[in-house]
Amino acid sequence: MGETAGVNELAITVIGHDRPGIVADVAEVLGGLGANLTDSTMTRLRGHFAWTLVCNGPEADAVSQALEPLTADGRLLATVRAVTPEEDEADAGEPHLVSVHGADRLGIVAAVTREVAAAGGNITDLTTRLAGLLYVLVAEVSLPAGAAAGLSERLAAAAKELDVEITLRRAESDLL
Amino acid sequence: MTLGDWTPDTLGTGRVLPVVSAPEPVLSRVGAEVDPADPDVVRLAADLIATMRVSPGCVGLAAPQVGVSAQVFCVDVTGHPKAGTVHGVFALCNAKIVEASRWRPGREGCMSVPDLTGDVKRAGRVVVEAALPGTGEPVRLVTDAFEARALQHEIDHCAGLLFLDRVVGPHAIYQRKVYL
Ligand SMILES: [Zn+2]
């Protein structure tokens, strides 16, 4: 990737009906325009295809136009917009994982993430899944030094109120 | 067949070498088997240990990480909180894993992939056969826990593999923000 100065950065989302070949089709369109696909994450959300990506290169309008054939039947939605490159700021936080599971009910995500925010934590990765009656949330959270113990208590209280299980643990990684 | 009273002093003083980062091609090449008695190999082993020692938090270093495509690495997990069995500082040549069991996931970082970490399954117990640099004496190392993980990571380097080649899933790599 190297220097980002002077490069046109685009944020793109592609969401909709899943079928084999979507990723290849979208990537080919981007490649054909000389767009350099940088960070992206794709998953299926309740069966819907969902891809969020950032790429460098052409003008947003050109990408939108080039993606039109893929979205023409209305089953796939693509959005393209130019964004200002973000400084990858040095994050001094300590990485933690929050796991939540329990019976699905309204407000679990809001209640849990509000506590994280109140503790000065920043969510850097998040997945939620509803599987039958079971609701699951797993978040990667960057916490200020010393904030874990307090947050742990607050989450325990929230767990009681929501009647779900919540664990907070350090996301340890070992340098080898 | 064990490390016995082998010490890294027998290798002489090593030089601190620059550590290369992916996508440097040497990291993805299968390292050559070496003659453990070759003076160049002995010097390489000493250099790896010297480089590991000056690198904060580093518990192992393999030859490809200093730009040499060879099956030589060093390990030292002394004092690590996740260590069980600890053999101290040692360097091995042509190491092979002959037994592996108790597989479990753990999050790994690597000096040669400075910006990412990833979840990788490793055996919690391994038996490794190798040759000692210098004497060329064969060794059979039985170890567990963190030392076992470190050995697997370094043996992978010697085979041209990074933790990225073994990551458990597409959402199991992470931007690394905390530098040791
Ligand atoms: Zn490594």
Side-chain angles (χ1 to χ4, degrees):
Chain A
M1 279 162 279
E3 293 302 307
T4 50
V7 170
N8 200 11
E9 195 159 280
L10 301 179
I12 301 173
T13 62
V14 184
I15 298 177
H17 174 64
D18 192 27
R19 57 167 174 81
I22 299 185
V23 173
D25 288 350
V26 173
E28 238 167 57
V29 165
L30 295 175
L33 294 171
N36 188 17
L37 208 165
T38 57
D39 288 10
S40 85
T41 184
M42 180 254 141
T43 191
R44 281 162 43 118
L45 302 174
R46 292 210 95 60
H48 303 282
F49 172 88
W51 196 10
T52 309
L53 47 141
V54 169
C55 73
N56 294 327
E59 296 293 331
D61 289 348
V63 177
S64 289
Q65 265 174 33
L67 287 171
E68 258 165 33
L70 295 178
T71 58
D73 71 357
R75 304 189 75 184
L76 202 60
L77 173 72
T79 67
V80 182
R81 55 163 42 188
V83 289
T84 313
E86 298 275 346
E87 284 294 320
D88 224 352
E89 57 189 277
D91 182 348
E94 296 170 343
H96 286 72
L97 285 168
V98 178
S99 307
V100 182
H101 59 90
D104 183 33
R105 56 172 286 178
L106 213 61
I108 294 177
V109 178
V112 172
T113 56
R114 180 55 62 203
E115 293 298 351
V116 170
N122 189 29
I123 294 171
T124 55
D125 229 310
L126 173 100
T127 294
T128 65
R129 296 281 169 186
L130 175 63
L133 299 175
L134 177 67
Y135 195 77
V136 179
L137 177 158
V138 180
E140 175 109 359
V141 174
S142 177
L143 288 181
L151 177 58
S152 200
E153 274 174 33
R154 302 285 301 270
L155 288 176
K160 216 170 215 177
E161 202 154 298
L162 295 163
D163 197 20
V164 296
E165 305 300 318
I166 306 184
T167 55
L168 173 71
R169 60 193 194 281
R170 183 76 197 252
E172 291 172 319
S173 62
D174 296 305
L175 183 60
L176 290 163
Chain B
M1 285 291 274
T2 65
L3 282 175
D5 50 10
W6 186 88
T7 80
D9 303 340
T10 58
L11 301 174
T13 312
R15 302 158 298 169
V16 173
L17 301 177
V19 174
V20 303
S21 295
E24 194 65 46
V26 69
L27 291 167
S28 299
R29 280 207 293 272
V30 178
E33 279 204 27
V34 297
D35 169 4
D38 181 335
D40 285 344
V41 170
V42 174
R43 196 171 311 120
L44 173 61
D47 292 347
L48 287 170
I49 290 175
T51 307
M52 172 176 71
R53 281 187 163 147
V54 300
S55 310
C58 180
V59 297
L61 201 61
Q65 295 184 274
V66 296
V68 182
S69 189
Q71 295 181 31
V72 184
F73 67 83
C74 63
V75 158
D76 180 12
V77 301
T78 308
H80 194 280
K82 289 182 188 161
T85 302
V86 174
H87 287 90
V89 188
F90 60 89
L92 298 177
C93 302
N94 309 326
K96 304 240 170 342
I97 294 168
V98 295
E99 281 176 40
S101 57
R102 298 184 202 159
W103 293 83
R104 58 195 62 160
R107 198 176 286 188
E108 291 183 10
C110 175
M111 278 180 77
S112 297
V113 188
D115 299 325
L116 299 171
T117 61
D119 295 330
V120 181
K121 262 190 170 172
R122 300 284 191 190
R125 182 186 178 277
V126 291
V127 180
V128 169
E129 288 180 357
L132 286 173
T135 62
E137 208 183 315
V139 282
R140 183 180 162 88
L141 221 66
V142 182
T143 191
D144 54 31
F146 194 58
E147 197 175 68
R149 180 170 285 269
L151 279 164
Q152 291 163 83
H153 182 105
E154 303 313 331
I155 290 171
D156 268 357
H157 272 305
C158 293
L161 295 172
L162 298 173
F163 75 85
L164 300 173
D165 296 303
R166 294 198 187 273
V167 77
V168 297
H171 294 273
I173 60 168
Y174 311 89
Q175 214 104 39
R176 181 165 160 232
K177 290 168 184 149
V178 177
Y179 292 86
L180 288 164

